[in-house]
Amino acid sequence: DAGVTQSPTHLIKTRGQQVTLRCSPKSGHDTVSWYQQALGQGPQFIFQYYEEEERQRGNFPDRFSGHQFPNYSSELNVNALLLGDSALYLCASSSPWDEQYFGPGTRLTVT
Amino acid sequence: AQSVSQHNHHVILSEAASLELGCNYSYGGTVNLFWYVQYPGQHLQLLLKYFSGDPLVKGIKGFEAEFIKSKFSFNLRKPSVQWSDTAEYFCAVNAQRYSTLTFGKGTMLLVSP
């Protein structure tokens, strides 16, 4: 039983570019949450998707957007990248009867 | 809004020493409490969780945590640490089992052999 998977593992982008990160949830999970973990900080909630809709959103600008597909997988898109967007992006999946399980993350570096 | 405070950013211990990491949260309602661990180069893993019932919770690898409602605390303990416990530890809280987590800033634990 595969856990939460994320791709790519690492990514280097230039300021102003756009990036898409992908997440496949743990089998049986229908909810996907995205977090940003800056160096030396705890993960910060970006948004959560359930039934292909954004259910909750944290304090992140509109440059951060997402999508959930019918198979429950999800994408995180970031437009107009800034140096400050450099971080580890974590995906977590869950269900009403199970707590959140985290993927290995995607390390995004913006130069 | 929920918030989580972890008292120590860095802790250095020798093997076999006892460990206690502090965590306090701010939230007016019923909460679920978690401790996650992030070993070097690995992803976040759940150490233990509290939803309800016995406030003393036992997790994996000999860790335990005690929920003290009156103090809004959920401190992590281990009687005797090992070198392999070197990792970053995060306390987190949410209001519903599947809802978003609010994390503390983490405590980096270094255990010297």
Side-chain angles (χ1 to χ4, degrees):
Chain A
D1 176 25
V4 180
T5 60
Q6 292 185 245
S7 63
T9 307
H10 295 88
L11 206 50
I12 300 175
K13 289 286 188 179
T14 304
R15 272 182 301 177
Q17 285 188 316
Q18 178 264 343
V19 69
T20 297
L21 311 182
R22 295 176 177 82
C23 171
S24 290
K26 185 176 184 286
S27 178
H29 285 183
D30 56 7
T31 302
V32 173
S33 303
W34 286 91
Y35 295 81
Q36 181 195 65
Q37 187 178 10
L39 204 60
Q41 300 293 318
Q44 280 199 292
F45 171 69
I46 303 175
F47 42 55
Q48 184 183 77
Y49 277 84
Y50 173 70
E51 292 188 340
E52 301 180 51
E53 293 200 355
E54 185 181 287
R55 177 158 68 178
Q56 284 183 272
R57 188 178 183 92
N59 189 25
F60 278 80
D62 293 344
R63 298 186 297 109
F64 289 77
S65 63
H67 189 77
Q68 186 178 35
F69 299 94
N71 66 353
Y72 307 120
S73 67
S74 176
E75 287 182 351
L76 163 65
N77 301 291
V78 187
N79 294 323
L81 284 167
L82 303 173
L83 294 179
D85 295 332
S86 295
L88 180 68
Y89 287 85
L90 298 169
C91 170
S93 71
S94 59
S95 68
W97 52 85
D98 204 6
E99 68 272 8
Q100 293 188 34
Y101 287 77
F102 285 82
T106 294
R107 173 73 63 189
L108 172 64
T109 302
V110 182
T111 62
Chain B
Q2 303 161 1
S3 67
V4 177
S5 174
Q6 292 184 238
H7 308 314
N8 306 99
H9 200 55
H10 290 92
V11 172
I12 301 174
L13 295 173
S14 300
E15 273 193 318
S18 65
L19 169 72
E20 181 158 2
L21 300 182
C23 172
N24 286 91
Y25 67 93
S26 171
Y27 183 67
T30 303
V31 293
N32 302 312
L33 295 154
F34 307 81
W35 276 97
Y36 282 86
V37 61
Q38 195 168 33
Y39 297 103
Q42 296 188 27
H43 62 279
L44 272 173
Q45 299 172 42
L46 183 65
L47 260 184
L48 48 78
K49 61 194 176 190
Y50 173 81
F51 292 144
S52 64
D54 188 344
L56 185 61
V57 179
K58 295 197 183 296
I60 60 171
K61 305 187 180 186
F63 286 91
E64 65 177 32
E66 184 176 12
F67 170 49
I68 303 180
K69 190 175 181 179
S70 61
K71 295 185 178 180
F72 298 91
S73 71
F74 190 56
N75 292 353
L76 181 70
R77 300 194 291 247
K78 186 171 184 179
S80 175
V81 294
Q82 301 172 316
W83 175 78
S84 58
D85 293 324
T86 293
E88 191 154 21
Y89 293 80
F90 295 94
C91 181
V93 60
N94 69 9
Q96 292 172 294
R97 186 174 290 204
Y98 55 83
S99 73
T100 69
L101 289 163
T102 300
F103 284 86
K105 291 188 175 181
T107 297
M108 185 66 221
L109 171 66
L110 177 61
V111 179
S112 57

